[in-house]
Amino acid sequence: EHADIVETQRRRGTSQVEQLFADPRALVDLPEGLVVYHQMARRFEHGDKDRVTNRAFEAHMQLLPGDVVRYEHQRSSTLKVWWFSSINPRQRWLHEHAGAEGALRLELVPRRGLYISAATAHDLDLGPMDERELILPAGTVWRVVGIRDVVFSDIRDEKRVSSERIRTVLMVELHPDAPDADQALLLSYEH
């Protein structure tokens, strides 16, 4: 029934996805302690979307432990740690010393989300998909609990391994009524 909304969200994002979170049949409450990932990178500025992406990237680079942030947009995240973004220029890892950092990863502990598995994508006839995507709802508030340099393999082939270092911002979702939620820094940007 909601296949068209899911497909639209996967392709370009939509406020209609909130219908899914409001549907009492949707399973959106997540197990405690689940960690998902979202990668961000600096881009060449060819248009408004690239400028918005770069502004968001720079704002995330300035975050400190204890900061509270709010996202008014839905966020796509994944259970996998590989680099999924198609970016330009190529991300600069921390160990490359090739100028300013060009990438970072958010490690998020969400309260609610809509899981889109390969099986779900097949059942909804969305085409092939193996990212194990979790769509996070709009209007979420997060506390930054740590910032770390993390080493991980960016190679999908298990027979090959790479050791890449990336700045990682660890955030835990707060209840919207948390005492400091109304003082949160807005990290949603308009085109």
Side-chain angles (χ1 to χ4, degrees), residues 127-148:
M129 181 182 136
D130 64 355
E131 289 188 29
R132 294 166 34 194
E133 183 174 3
L134 188 75
I135 300 171
L136 305 178
T140 55
V141 179
W142 304 79
R143 181 181 310 284
V144 177
V145 296
I147 298 175
R148 303 286 186 271

Side-chain angles (χ1 to χ4, degrees), residues 60-100:
H60 283 82
M61 290 291 288
Q62 301 303 314
L63 291 175
L64 298 171
D67 285 347
V68 176
V69 300
R70 176 185 305 276
Y71 297 104
E72 292 301 328
H73 63 282
Q74 294 92 24
R75 178 164 296 276
S76 175
S77 62
T78 181
L79 301 177
K80 294 186 178 182
V81 296
W82 298 322
W83 187 266
F84 279 108
S85 184
S86 57
I87 59 172
N88 56 53
R90 185 184 69 82
Q91 64 274 14
R92 292 192 190 102
W93 306 117
L94 282 171
H95 56 278
E96 290 182 325
H97 302 293

Side-chain angles (χ1 to χ4, degrees), residues 4-186:
D4 57 333
I5 296 174
V6 173
E7 177 64 8
T8 302
Q9 168 62 21
R10 283 184 60 224
R11 297 287 178 228
R12 63 185 174 279
T14 176
S15 61
Q16 289 178 317
V17 78
E18 291 307 310
Q19 294 174 28
L20 296 173
F21 285 99
D23 189 330
R25 298 169 297 169
L27 302 174
V28 296
D29 292 325
L30 299 173
E32 190 173 325
L34 176 74
V35 176
V36 295
Y37 306 95
H38 180 84
Q39 289 89 347
M40 304 179 75
R42 187 179 288 115
R43 302 179 64 93
F44 289 131
E45 292 191 357
H46 296 299
D48 288 343
K49 184 175 181 180
D50 293 329
R51 283 187 275 285
V52 169
T53 297
N54 286 345
R55 205 169 35 198
F57 175 78
E58 295 302 333
H60 283 82
M61 290 291 288
Q62 301 303 314
L63 291 175
L64 298 171
D67 285 347
V68 176
V69 300
R70 176 185 305 276
Y71 297 104
E72 292 301 328
H73 63 282
Q74 294 92 24
R75 178 164 296 276
S76 175
S77 62
T78 181
L79 301 177
K80 294 186 178 182
V81 296
W82 298 322
W83 187 266
F84 279 108
S85 184
S86 57
I87 59 172
N88 56 53
R90 185 184 69 82
Q91 64 274 14
R92 292 192 190 102
W93 306 117
L94 282 171
H95 56 278
E96 290 182 325
H97 302 293
E101 290 176 59
L104 65 84
R105 179 172 76 193
L106 305 180
E107 287 191 6
L108 306 167
V109 180
R111 297 172 59 247
R112 299 173 67 228
L114 183 65
Y115 180 59
I116 310 295
S117 68
T120 304
H122 178 268
D123 291 346
L124 297 177
D125 196 26
L126 298 177
M129 181 182 136
D130 64 355
E131 289 188 29
R132 294 166 34 194
E133 183 174 3
L134 188 75
I135 300 171
L136 305 178
T140 55
V141 179
W142 304 79
R143 181 181 310 284
V144 177
V145 296
I147 298 175
R148 303 286 186 271
D149 293 350
V150 174
V151 177
F152 74 108
S153 179
D154 192 39
I155 303 292
R156 298 180 192 204
D157 182 354
E158 293 178 5
K159 296 175 185 170
R160 296 172 49 214
V161 176
S162 66
S163 295
E164 314 297 356
R165 283 183 59 220
I166 190 170
R167 178 190 303 236
T168 301
V169 180
L170 298 84
M171 293 198 276
V172 175
E173 186 178 356
L174 301 177
H175 190 278
D177 296 331
D180 44 3
D182 59 342
Q183 302 298 318
L185 172 67
L186 181 63

